Amino acid sequence: MSRRPSDGAVADRDAEAVDPLRPADAIDGKGEPADGTGDGITSPKLGFVGWMRWGWRQLTSMRTALVLLLLLAIAAVPGSIVPQRSADPNGVSQYFSSNPTLAPILDKMQLFDVYSSAWFSAIYILLFVSLIGCIIPRTKHHFTALRARPPRTPARLARLEDHRESLVELEPGEDAGHAASRAVDLAASLLRKGGYRIERYDSRGSASVSAERGYLRETGNLIFHTALVGVLVAVGLGGGFTYTGQRVIVQGTTFVNSVGTDYSSFNPGRFVDPDSLTPYTLKLDKFDVTYVPFGQKDAGQAGDFAAHLTTQLPGQSAQTGTVRVNHPLQIAGDDVYLLGNGYAPTITVRNAKGEVVFHDTVPFLPQDNNMTSIGVVKVADGLPEQLGFVGFFYPTQVKLGSGAFSSAYPNLLNPVLTLNVYGGDLGINNGIPRSVYALDPTGMTQLTGGKTGVKSIELSPGQTTQLPKGYGTITFENDSPAGAKDQSQAVKRFVSLSIHHDAAGPWALAFAVLAIAGLLLALFVPRRRMWVKATPAGDGLRIEYAALARGEDPTLKAAVDDLAAKHAKALDAAGAASVPDQAAKAPSVD
């Protein structure tokens, strides 16, 4: 039994002698020559240009592009959680009111403007540069590879893992060199039919063909990354030509596609000219909705919503259209979406002399599934003081055990309107914008309801009652058509529409489809090389088949077997007989 020396003894021995199996000028792991002479290797210091080149290579690597793509997806998440000024300015205002401490912090982090924030733009631009810097050199390399000849046949094909060999007998007197060339010609024909690029290489008494295929894999890869750049450009540049606006339309009224007159809110892209919008019109003829009847499961649940509109483009005849949830109406390149709906009671206020000082159909915003709705009426002129009305509308009024009112069903079975009256300054003359759907009672005096001791005003369609302090009267108008036998049409409906013009949508979709097509090519097209070599061996030919894949290719072995089988059939048809399988399986000798 031999004894292994200790680590210290090995170190002493290495210090006294150099490993005889290593060259004298070999460099060890510490950068020192193996013989202990010289100063070793000193890496040069990177200057400014060197560091810039290193940083560019890191930025344009595929790994960095994937990381930036992931960061971009993560950075977009706050945009779906926090309301955005570009899409929901009223939601942002409400967020500030509900979260006065947190909202300013989020605003400094630009979370209310995620998609135009500095940090989101930085990720977006870096991803764009990374993809461009990655695509250009790879495209040049791929173009060069497409023009290059298939590689020369290796001298020892048996060293490749996927290798087959067979022996073919020749006819007496047949020239072996000619037979080898003919066998390789047959193999080349089969490979060409299989989509391979081929090149003949004959040397040292052997004939061979080199073939390769699968360049569509890299082509698909480049298409995928180029399409990603296209998506980024379409979204980034096309967003500047996109606009979104919202408008509430009451039954029987008309909306004009003009920023200066009819939009409740309008959010244009940076390249949109608000004065150049196509001035088409939308008129709400009626709004249809079905509810599950009383006595059935899920009674009151809404079914189909349908807003029936009359549309008209300048200089053209009027057309009819319908807007449903997730089924927008398209007009002049705009998509009109149905966002919501509700009831809009018609209210008339007269002064003590009987003169009409207010008459309007006011949208009331639904608060629950049974369409219990809240609305605000503001009378600024014509009365001794400004009045504000906070109203509650109940399509089917019921009285709860607590004495409060509620709606038991969303349809008009027992419509009732209740109003609390406030007197004082409405704050609409100080230049500060005020929402038409909210009333700030600060500085105003409550005249009815609450702790005033005066009952709230309660009206059914067609009823009129006196205002406090003898200011006049208020009427809840009945809008039922002539001949109506019930109150099912006593109150008009309204719809909330979103008009969206997306210039980037078609381009982004086209590039997304192109990216998917490129990805499929990159995933399912195998990149491989195959060789067939025929060498004279005595009275016959030794034919070798070999293949090499770039990356994972589980079908490579089957491809070699298939080629060998087809080639054997072609040789048989040409008049050559192959040796039995045991000869084909005989090991080759280098």
Side-chain angles (χ1 to χ4, degrees):
M1 176 180 289
S2 62
R3 180 176 178 272
R4 182 180 179 183
S6 64
D7 292 340
V10 172
D12 293 341
R13 185 186 65 191
D14 289 343
E16 295 174 358
V18 179
D19 188 347
L21 299 180
R22 298 179 64 193
D25 58 349
I27 305 299
D28 62 14
K30 299 179 181 179
E32 295 292 339
D35 59 2
T37 63
D39 298 331
I41 295 178
T42 302
S43 300
K45 293 184 178 180
L46 291 178
F48 177 77
V49 176
W51 281 110
M52 292 294 293
R53 184 180 293 112
W54 178 87
W56 175 254
R57 288 176 178 173
Q58 298 302 313
L59 177 61
T60 57
S61 67
M62 189 55 61
R63 181 182 302 173
T64 302
L66 292 175
V67 171
L68 289 172
L69 189 62
L70 177 62
L71 285 178
L72 190 69
I74 296 174
V77 172
S80 61
I81 298 176
V82 181
Q84 301 296 295
R85 285 193 175 93
S86 60
D88 188 12
N90 293 330
V92 175
S93 301
Q94 182 63 38
Y95 196 94
F96 270 85
S97 301
S98 304
N99 305 274
T101 303
L102 179 61
I105 298 175
L106 298 182
D107 195 21
K108 290 182 179 179
M109 298 170 63
Q110 298 180 303
L111 292 183
F112 296 112
D113 303 280
V114 168
Y115 306 111
S116 60
S117 63
W119 47 272
F120 189 88
S121 300
I123 299 174
Y124 192 91
I125 294 173
L126 284 175
L127 176 60
F128 183 81
V129 173
S130 177
L131 288 173
I132 292 294
C134 178
I135 289 171
I136 292 177
R138 290 183 64 174
T139 302
K140 292 181 178 179
H141 178 75
H142 184 54
F143 182 72
T144 302
L146 287 175
R147 299 177 62 188
R149 299 168 58 191
R152 185 174 294 274
T153 305
R156 297 177 176 84
L157 292 177
R159 290 184 174 182
L160 300 179
E161 182 176 356
D162 290 290
H163 174 261
R164 305 291 180 274
E165 183 177 316
S166 65
L167 293 177
V168 177
E169 296 179 351
L170 299 178
E171 297 292 336
E174 184 177 0
D175 181 73
H178 178 72
S181 179
R182 186 181 59 175
V184 171
D185 286 340
L186 290 173
S189 177
L190 292 173
L191 290 169
R192 186 183 290 109
K193 291 179 180 178
Y196 288 86
R197 296 192 309 158
I198 64 170
E199 186 73 24
R200 281 289 301 268
Y201 292 103
D202 298 343
S203 63
R204 298 180 182 179
S206 299
S208 67
V209 60
S210 176
E212 61 180 356
R213 61 172 292 184
Y215 278 94
L216 275 178
R217 184 186 188 94
E218 180 64 12
T219 302
N221 214 338
L222 292 174
I223 290 175
F224 171 72
H225 291 94
T226 303
L228 284 183
V229 175
V231 171
L232 293 177
V233 173
V235 173
L237 186 61
F241 297 94
T242 298
Y243 62 81
T244 301
Q246 288 80 35
R247 176 62 179 174
V248 171
I249 306 180
V250 178
Q251 183 178 343
T253 62
T254 301
F255 160 79
V256 180
N257 187 38
S258 174
V259 176
T261 56
D262 268 11
Y263 273 105
S264 302
S265 63
F266 186 76
N267 303 291
R270 64 185 64 188
F271 305 124
V272 174
D273 182 7
D275 297 327
S276 64
L277 302 183
T278 304
Y280 57 79
T281 61
L282 301 174
K283 180 183 177 182
L284 178 61
D285 298 322
K286 63 176 181 177
F287 179 77
D288 291 335
V289 59
T290 57
Y291 297 106
V292 178
F294 272 121
Q296 297 185 13
K297 184 180 179 181
D298 299 324
Q301 183 174 345
D304 185 37
F305 298 93
H308 301 278
L309 304 172
T310 297
T311 65
Q312 187 169 12
L313 288 165
Q316 299 184 19
S317 58
Q319 303 288 333
T320 59
T322 303
V323 183
R324 288 183 168 85
V325 178
N326 297 326
H327 290 81
L329 172 70
Q330 295 182 344
I331 178 172
D334 294 353
D335 292 322
V336 182
Y337 294 89
L338 178 63
L339 296 183
N341 67 92
Y343 290 99
T346 301
I347 299 171
T348 302
V349 177
R350 296 178 174 83
N351 59 20
K353 298 179 181 180
E355 300 170 341
V356 176
V357 296
F358 179 89
H359 177 78
D360 199 4
T361 302
V362 184
F364 275 51
L365 304 182
Q367 304 298 305
D368 56 30
N369 293 334
N370 289 325
M371 302 297 288
T372 301
S373 307
I374 298 178
V376 171
V377 177
K378 298 178 182 181
V379 182
D381 301 306
L383 298 175
E385 65 175 337
Q386 294 182 346
L387 293 184
F389 299 82
V390 178
F392 292 84
F393 176 70
Y394 311 97
T396 303
Q397 186 198 45
V398 293
K399 192 171 185 178
L400 303 177
S402 61
F405 293 138
S406 183
S407 178
Y409 193 69
N411 226 347
L412 295 175
L413 300 182
N414 180 32
V416 173
L417 175 66
T418 63
L419 299 162
N420 288 333
V421 185
Y422 293 82
D425 185 10
L426 293 172
I428 60 178
N429 297 324
N430 55 13
I432 300 176
R434 302 284 181 174
S435 172
V436 296
Y437 301 107
L439 176 67
D440 183 6
T442 304
M444 302 185 72
T445 303
Q446 187 171 355
L447 303 179
T448 65
K451 299 179 181 180
T452 62
V454 180
K455 284 187 176 182
S456 299
I457 294 175
E458 184 174 336
L459 298 171
S460 295
Q463 289 185 342
T464 300
T465 191
Q466 294 291 323
L467 292 173
K469 296 185 178 182
Y471 285 162
T473 62
I474 183 170
T475 302
F476 179 13
E477 304 290 351
N478 190 334
D479 290 321
S480 298
K485 298 181 180 180
D486 54 27
Q487 295 182 326
S488 61
Q489 302 180 66
V491 183
K492 292 182 179 180
R493 301 295 296 252
F494 76 86
V495 295
S496 176
L497 300 179
S498 175
I499 293 91
H500 184 65
H501 180 83
D502 188 3
W507 290 99
L509 176 61
F511 282 120
V513 172
L514 190 62
I516 293 174
L519 185 60
L520 292 176
L521 287 176
L523 291 177
F524 296 108
V525 173
R527 175 80 178 273
R528 62 168 69 123
R529 290 171 178 171
M530 299 192 74
W531 296 275
V532 179
K533 185 177 182 181
T535 305
D539 295 333
L541 293 178
R542 185 177 68 164
I543 301 181
E544 297 177 85
Y545 309 90
L548 185 66
R550 184 172 181 177
E552 295 291 334
D553 188 357
T555 63
L556 186 63
K557 181 178 181 298
V560 176
D561 292 338
D562 183 61
L563 175 62
K566 289 181 178 179
H567 191 229
K569 290 182 180 179
L571 290 174
D572 290 340
S578 60
V579 174
D581 289 344
Q582 57 267 25
K585 296 180 180 179
S588 61
V589 179
D590 294 339

